Amino acid sequence: MNEPTLFPADFLWGAATSAYQIEGSPLADGAGASIWHEFSHTPGRTRDGDTGDVACDHYRRYREDVALLGDLGLNAYRFSVSWGRVLPEGRGRINPAGLGFYERLVDAVLERGIQPMVTLYHWDLPAALDRLGGWLNPDSADWFADYAQRLFRTLGDRVKLWVTLNEPWVVVDGGYLHGVLAPGQRNPFAAPLAAHNLLRAHGSAVQAYRAEGRHQIGLVVNLEPKYPAAETAEDLNATMRADAYWNRQYLDPVFLGGYPPELSDIFGEAWPAFPDADFDLIRQPLDFIGVNYYSRQVVRHDPADWPLAAARVRQPRQTHTGLEWEVYPRGLTDILEWVAGRYGPLPLYVTENGAAFYDPPQTEGEIDDPLRRRYLRDHLCAVLEARRKGVDLRGYFAWSLLDNFEWAYGYSQRFGLVHVDYATQRRTPKASARFYAEVIQSRGAALKWDHSA
Ligand code: FCB
């Protein structure tokens, strides 16, 4: 029986990771410390005091991990470069050993016929730059563009898909507004400035790429569709504020040349006036947008919520992940359609999607993770639906290849398709990984056979 294939032959089937979350050896071979190294070593900042000192030991085991990607049949791999490995002070002197690691990694990935997608910034700012003000320093745009240019020159012939920033919203909301992520600031006046400098840095890096790069560069944002709890004016307004803050704050300046008007109401006196000329820098043509999707938010007006006055309403009948994120596959179709309509036409990728669930103990070498498997299946069906509705979606990257260091949650949350035993560093593909491999091999047809989950 010939099952119809549901995805084109050139669709990218990937998995995503990030440097600090998997590499370990953060100071090896002359690397400079990052803000995440310092943050995780500050008592009380991460669950159980967990750090990325060892993580998945990927810095030393990368060959094994690349082999895993190949064995699962993936044809794409999204990973990030640790800025401080390449430039220990964040600028100036290059560290050849650090750069060499990424050259070897890219070569190993390409040898397996896998297409690398390289993220330049996945949250691990060199600590030396943070001491100069980090993203609050307007020079950060130049620091970032210089760093990016060195990577373009070294890897640009081999890497065809580049990402400037991963989730600037999280960098600012967690790192500068609420202080729960590195560098741990809690300052409403800092947040809009950090956001703006991140966007300027993005624009500068894209300009640097255009000067010499021949392939594709884009931005990765985390998007979360917002739905009003009730059709009241209060809830509808709260929904608009939440949408402006989460979904439009970064994409509007990049594609439309200005911030959503709601932001000055949200930040009040902390919202500065930005020079018009900055938007010329920020608004660089892009080759694609990467969308990271995990959940949705049902929004209720709530004056106690700061700074949005927009609270999340828990949906008791829905499945929630280990992080209490509601599982809502339809939101992925909705948000992809929204992005394509508002900012397109433009190629899109789902650059992260996945779930932390408690994994039952291993029996006979198998880890059965039915909830993650079902999450994967339902979100891939949502991707299919978006494509059917005309969205130019060219690839999907599961978060994550491996269980890893989940930032402030440390090792308590497992997102991997592949289980990592942190005591032995043994990798074991979970049932969800096997299922993903079947979907890939059948170009989607296995989504239709699967009624088990
Ligand atoms: C995203 C991050 C990624 C990972 C997942 C669960 O916000 O980009 O590093 O932590 O969430």
Side-chain angles (χ1 to χ4, degrees), residues 21 122-123 166-167 170 292 294 325 352 399 406-407 415:
Q21 293 180 275
H122 201 125
W123 308 359
N166 178 69
E167 302 189 349
V170 177
N292 292 354
Y294 289 93
W325 298 352
E352 288 181 24
W399 183 271
E406 179 48 34
W407 309 113
F415 276 90

Side-chain angles (χ1 to χ4, degrees), residues 80-126:
S80 79
V81 172
S82 161
W83 187 340
R85 279 199 203 284
V86 176
L87 294 161
E89 302 295 319
R91 53 191 187 144
R93 183 179 56 88
I94 266 233
N95 174 29
L99 191 55
F101 169 70
Y102 295 106
E103 291 196 80
R104 291 194 300 279
L105 175 59
V106 165
D107 288 343
V109 167
L110 288 170
E111 269 162 33
R112 296 293 302 231
I114 296 167
Q115 159 111 250
M117 178 186 271
V118 174
T119 304
L120 293 164
Y121 188 68
H122 201 125
W123 308 359
D124 47 356
L125 189 73

Side-chain angles (χ1 to χ4, degrees), residues 207-405:
Q207 269 185 344
Y209 189 69
R210 297 302 177 212
E212 45 203 303
R214 294 186 313 281
H215 304 291
Q216 299 187 2
I217 190 159
L219 173 67
V220 165
V221 285
N222 56 299
L223 300 180
E224 198 186 79
K226 308 293 177 187
Y227 307 89
E231 297 289 319
T232 60
E234 279 197 325
D235 284 2
L236 289 167
N237 283 334
T239 304
M240 290 294 280
R241 288 195 299 279
D243 180 62
Y245 179 58
W246 278 71
N247 299 327
R248 286 179 272 131
Q249 175 167 203
Y250 295 89
L251 292 178
D252 271 16
V254 167
F255 289 98
L256 308 177
Y259 287 107
E262 292 92 338
L263 292 178
S264 60
D265 294 338
I266 294 167
F267 283 94
E269 57 169 351
W271 186 259
F274 295 108
D276 284 346
D278 285 0
F279 295 95
D280 298 336
L281 174 62
I282 290 170
R283 192 181 187 178
Q284 300 294 321
L286 296 187
D287 302 308
F288 65 89
I289 306 179
V291 175
N292 292 354
Y293 176 79
Y294 289 93
S295 188
R296 69 153 168 180
Q297 185 184 9
V298 176
V299 184
R300 177 171 48 82
H301 175 77
D302 179 0
D305 171 77
W306 177 83
L308 293 175
R312 187 180 297 272
V313 182
R314 193 174 195 277
Q315 304 299 301
R317 277 190 286 278
Q318 300 277 78
T319 304
H320 288 72
T321 72
L323 286 169
E324 270 297 305
W325 298 352
E326 181 193 343
V327 177
Y328 191 70
R330 210 190 121 181
L332 177 55
T333 312
D334 289 354
I335 203 73
L336 290 171
E337 273 194 279
W338 175 80
V339 173
R342 186 172 175 88
Y343 305 110
L346 187 74
L348 303 183
Y349 293 93
V350 173
T351 35
E352 288 181 24
N353 174 241
F357 285 115
Y358 169 77
D359 291 324
Q362 203 166 335
T363 48
E364 290 160 25
E366 265 282 313
I367 291 169
D368 199 14
D369 58 342
L371 290 173
R372 187 175 297 98
R373 178 190 160 115
R374 184 182 183 146
Y375 183 101
L376 183 63
R377 182 198 66 184
D378 291 351
H379 285 80
L380 284 169
C381 289
V383 158
L384 262 184
E385 180 62 6
R387 285 178 51 87
R388 199 186 59 77
K389 290 179 158 175
V391 175
D392 183 7
L393 186 89
R394 304 202 178 172
Y396 172 92
F397 293 78
W399 183 271
S400 181
L401 175 66
L402 303 169
D403 290 336
N404 62 43
F405 175 78

